[in-house]
Structure formats: structure tokens, C-alpha cells
């Protein structure tokens, strides 16, 4: 066989190989979905609804049309990726469980930032998880009812001092009792308990703080502190006082404009440092608000973003604005 022929074969092989690589590259690109991020006022995510089969890879090419955003998926371990203007960031994800996932931006791009959400519908016939109703629904609580604490502690209750009292609080510490009672009710119950008549009002408040701290862990609180800083502080403020950077800017969107003209007021973010408010609301009610949101008040709904464990940790964290470790 001549040398010429051998060269020709090599060339054909090379070309064929390159073409194969090219086709593979091209098809990889073509089934990638380009996902544009824009501030919610400018349209949010485009497209906002994605569908994929369970277990199949979903290729996304992420880019921003304005400022820096990010891409995160609620209730999943998928790491947050930045979405930069003028750049394409490629991600491939695989969701194994059928259902609806919410993807969202974690960068505070403006007062409406939290509206930057979209859904990924994962199709397939896996075993559907039984739907349990949130505790506030099971208890039949009206989480929008106004409430105001009747009794306020003389000083900020301290969990550490409460622990040192060595009271037998086992019935009060059970998860079921704790979650369905507000701190004021628990204090009233302790005050009425014949075992504790010799203790002062302040000491029983310290016992309440201890009951609250024994229903969480330092690790859970540390995680919640991060979640709070990332997702809540912009409105509720780092110190919980309702004075976050966007608190003054909350406004009705055009579709809710009728509310603004019909005398509805935009409500300020709740002040978690106010004992009148926080000592009269139960963990179940707080969790309900976090899950369901304010239905138009400016308080976003987080049920699709956080796991149940995360919502309970956030609840415990919100009470830390009321209680002190030591005094
Ligand atoms: C965009 C602004 C905004 C963000 C972000 C926000 N909130 Fe709120 N939140 C509000 C407003 C406004 C209210 C008061 C109106 C209402 O209760 O619906 C409120 C009320 C609440 C309440 C109700 C308290 C009560 O006693 O009824 C809870 C609990 C709460 N927020 C928790 C959170 C948590 C936890 C986060 C973060 C995961 C968060 N919020 C993020 C604006 C916000
Ligand atoms: Cu954003």
C-alpha cells in the first residue's frame, strides 16, 4: 500500500473524529436551555418554568441581562451559582424525585428581589411523598389575627439562669407543647403551677427562655443565623427590629395597585425585638407565616424554599431577639 493511501486514511479518520466531536459538542449546546436573569421589574427569569424528566440531566446556560444575580434551588443541596451579566455559566443538574422545585435568586438586587423565582417541574412516576399539612393548619390557627402580650417580663429572660433553677419542666419542654404555645401562655401555665409558687415572676420568665433554648441546638441556631442574614435581614434588619435596608421601600406592585388606592397600607416588616409581639405568638404560628408568607403584605412565602427543619430553626432564631443567654 502506498504511503499516499495511508496518509489519506489518516486524514479521513482525523476529519471524521473532528466531525464526531463537533456533533457531540453541538448537540450538547443545543439541548442546553439559555436562562436569562433580570430584575423582577424587568421580567425576572426567562423562561420562568422549566420541565425535565426525573433522573435526566438538565443543562442550563445562565446569563444576566442586567446586574449580578444568582441561581439556587429550594429544598435541595444544589450549590448556589452566580449569574453574571455578559457571561454564560453552564450548569447541569439532575433531579431524581418527581415534583415541583422552585429556583430563585439569592442576591439582593432590589426591594422586589425575592420575587425572582421560577419552577422546575420534574416529571416521572416516582412514589409521591405523603403531603403533611403544616402545624398551624393542623391546629386551626388564624395566623393573621392581631395579638398583643398581656404580661411582659421585668428583664430580658435568660436561658442560662433558667437552666440553673433546676426545675422539673419535662411536660413544658415537649415539642408538642412548646410549638403550640406562645411564651406568654407558657409563663401563665408556670405561674399557675403549684410546684413553682415560691419562684419570682422573673425566675419563671427565665424558665420560659430555658424551655425555648432546649427546643433547639447551637448548631441549628448558627445555620438559621446565616439563613436569616441572607434572606430576611434586608427587610427585618440584622437586629430584628424591622429596619432592614429595604423596609422603607416595600410597595405594592402594579397588579396590587388597587390596594394602595383603597386605603390598604403597606405593612412594615415585623419587629422581632418587640416583646409585646413576640411573646404572644407561638412557634407554630411563626412557622406558618414563614411557610405561607403575608399574602400580599410584602412578606414573601418561604415554604417552597426551605426544608421543614430550616423553618423550625428560623423560628427558634427569631425568639433569640427576646431571650438572652446570660444576664
Ligand atoms: C421583602 C421583605 C421581607 C423579607 C425578605 C422577609 N420578610 Fe418577614 N415580613 C415582612 C413584612 C412586611 C411583614 C409584616 C406583614 C405580615 O406579617 O404579613 C413580615 C412578617 C413576618 C413574620 C410574621 C410575624 C408575626 O408575628 O406575624 C414572620 C414570622 C417573618 N416575617 C419571618 C421572616 C423570615 C424568617 C424571613 C426570611 C426567611 C422574612 N420574614 C423575610 C417582610 C419581609
Ligand atoms: Cu436578585
Amino acid at each position: 500500500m502506498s504511503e499516499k493511501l495511508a496518509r489519506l486514511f489518516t486524514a479521513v479518520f482525523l476529519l471524521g473524529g473532528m466531525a464526531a466531536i463537533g456533533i457531540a459538542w453541538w448537540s450538547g449546546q443545543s439541548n442546553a436551555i439559555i436562562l436569562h436573569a433580570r430584575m423582577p421589574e424587568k421580567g425576572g427569569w426567562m423562561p420562568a418554568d422549566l420541565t425535565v424528566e426525573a433522573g435526566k440531566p438538565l443543562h442550563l446556560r445562565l446569563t444576566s441581562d442586567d446586574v449580578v444575580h444568582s441561581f439556587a434551588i429550594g429544598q435541595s443541596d444544589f450549590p448556589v451559582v452566580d449569574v453574571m451579566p455578559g457571561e454564560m455559566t453552564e450548569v447541569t443538574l439532575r433531579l431524581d424525585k418527581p415534583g415541583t422545585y422552585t429556583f430563585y435568586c439569592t442576591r439582593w438586587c432590589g426591594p422586589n428581589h425575592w420575587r425572582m423565582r421560577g419552577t422546575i417541574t420534574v416529571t416521572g412516576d416516582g412514589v409521591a411523598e405523603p403531603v403533611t399539612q403544616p402545624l398551624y393548619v393542623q391546629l386551626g390557627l388564624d395566623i393573621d389575627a392581631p395579638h398583643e402580650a398581656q404580661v411582659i417580663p421585668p428583664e430580658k429572660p435568660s436561658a442560662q439562669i433558667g437552666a440553673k433553677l433546676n426545675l422539673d419542666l419535662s411536660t413544658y419542654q415537649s415539642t408538642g407543647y412548646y410549638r403550640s404555645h406562645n411564651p406568654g401562655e407558657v409563663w401563665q401555665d408556670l405561674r399557675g403551677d403549684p410546684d413553682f409558687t415560691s419562684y419570682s415572676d422573673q425566675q419563671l420568665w427565665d424558665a420560659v427562655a430555658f424551655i425555648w433554648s432546649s427546643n433547639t441546638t447551637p448548631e441549628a441556631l448558627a445555620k438559621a443565623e446565616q439563613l436569616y442574614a441572607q434572606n430576611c435581614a434586608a427587610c427585618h434588619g440584622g437586629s430584628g427590629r424591622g429596619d432592614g435596608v429595604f423596609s422603607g421601600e416595600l410597595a405594592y406592585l402594579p397588579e396590587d395597585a388597587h390596594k394602595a388606592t383603597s386605603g390598604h397600607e403597606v405593612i412594615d416588616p415585623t419587629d422581632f425585638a418587640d416583646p409585646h409581639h413576640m411573646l404572644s405568638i407561638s412557634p407554630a404560628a411563626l412557622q406558618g407565616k414563614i411557610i405561607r408568607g403575608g399574602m400580599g403584605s410584602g412578606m414573601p412565602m418561604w415554604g417552597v424554599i426551605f426544608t421543614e427543619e430550616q423553618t423550625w430553626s428560623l423560628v427558634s432564631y427569631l425568639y433569640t431577639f427576646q431571650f438572652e443567654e446570660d444576664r
Side-chain angles (χ1 to χ4, degrees):
M1 198 164 52
S2 75
E3 204 180 312
K4 244 186 194 168
L5 208 57
R7 269 208 212 123
L8 186 69
F9 268 122
T10 319
V12 167
F13 270 120
L14 272 178
L15 279 175
M18 275 159 68
I21 291 170
I23 287 167
W25 176 84
W26 177 81
S27 63
Q29 295 295 303
S30 65
N31 68 22
I33 296 166
I34 301 184
L35 185 55
H36 290 263
R38 287 185 191 174
M39 289 174 67
E41 298 84 344
K42 311 260 171 58
W45 295 104
M46 282 173 295
D49 299 299
L50 306 170
T51 304
V52 67
E53 255 177 78
K56 290 268 168 71
L58 176 62
H59 301 293
L60 296 177
R61 308 186 74 210
L62 307 165
T63 190
S64 166
D65 296 340
D66 44 37
V67 298
V68 179
H69 295 281
S70 73
F71 175 87
I73 300 176
Q75 302 185 344
S76 86
D77 302 329
F78 185 78
V80 180
V81 263
D82 281 341
V83 182
M84 314 294 287
E87 280 178 35
M88 282 286 176
T89 307
E90 313 229 353
V91 296
T92 300
L93 38 125
R94 210 180 296 263
L95 294 157
D96 292 325
K97 263 195 246 156
T100 307
Y101 295 78
T102 296
F103 66 90
Y104 65 109
C105 169
T106 64
R107 293 261 187 174
W108 281 90
C109 46
N112 283 310
H113 148 77
W114 58 270
R115 294 179 199 266
M116 253 185 99
R117 293 180 180 183
T119 60
I120 304 175
T121 307
V122 180
T123 59
D125 33 37
V127 191
E129 303 232 331
V131 184
T132 41
Q133 290 189 316
L135 186 56
Y136 83 94
V137 178
Q138 292 175 38
L139 295 173
L141 298 182
D142 174 5
I143 56 175
D144 300 309
H147 51 91
E148 167 127 15
Q150 302 304 312
V151 193
I152 296 295
E155 284 184 80
K156 242 188 180 184
S158 153
Q160 244 170 59
I161 298 176
K164 282 186 205 132
L165 296 172
N166 266 324
L167 307 178
D168 175 16
L169 297 168
S170 40
T171 44
Y172 300 102
Q173 280 169 306
S174 77
T175 311
Y177 174 83
Y178 153 80
R179 286 185 176 167
S180 57
H181 289 75
N182 66 54
E185 288 168 332
V186 175
W187 184 85
Q188 299 278 8
D189 281 0
L190 293 177
R191 191 65 292 175
D193 190 322
D195 288 348
F196 304 140
T197 40
S198 61
Y199 293 92
S200 72
D201 286 357
Q202 182 65 45
Q203 280 174 318
L204 293 184
W205 275 113
D206 295 337
V208 171
F210 173 62
I211 292 168
W212 253 249
S213 80
S214 63
N215 262 284
T216 184
T217 61
E219 295 76 41
L221 287 178
K223 281 191 199 150
E225 187 174 12
Q226 275 187 337
L227 291 178
Y228 182 87
Q230 270 173 14
N231 300 286
C232 324
C235 292
H236 289 283
S239 60
R241 294 192 177 280
D243 55 359
V245 287
F246 290 131
S247 59
E249 290 185 53
L250 297 180
Y252 287 117
L253 283 190
E255 64 258 33
D256 290 331
H258 63 278
K259 290 190 185 152
T261 51
S262 64
H264 283 259
E265 272 179 61
V266 174
I267 308 162
D268 288 332
T270 306
D271 175 359
F272 300 128
D274 177 3
H276 292 93
H277 190 83
M278 288 300 280
L279 298 178
S280 61
I281 188 162
S282 66
L286 281 179
Q287 194 219 21
K289 267 284 168 78
I290 296 171
I291 294 174
R292 190 211 66 180
M295 318 264 280
S297 70
M299 167 62 187
M301 58 177 245
W302 300 96
V304 291
I305 305 276
F306 298 133
T307 62
E308 191 186 345
E309 194 191 334
Q310 286 173 320
T311 58
W312 285 122
S313 304
L314 276 164
V315 166
S316 299
Y317 181 73
L318 297 185
Y319 286 111
T320 61
F321 296 114
Q322 289 304 316
F323 301 137
E324 237 153 8
E325 261 313 295
D326 210 345
R327 200 172 43 238

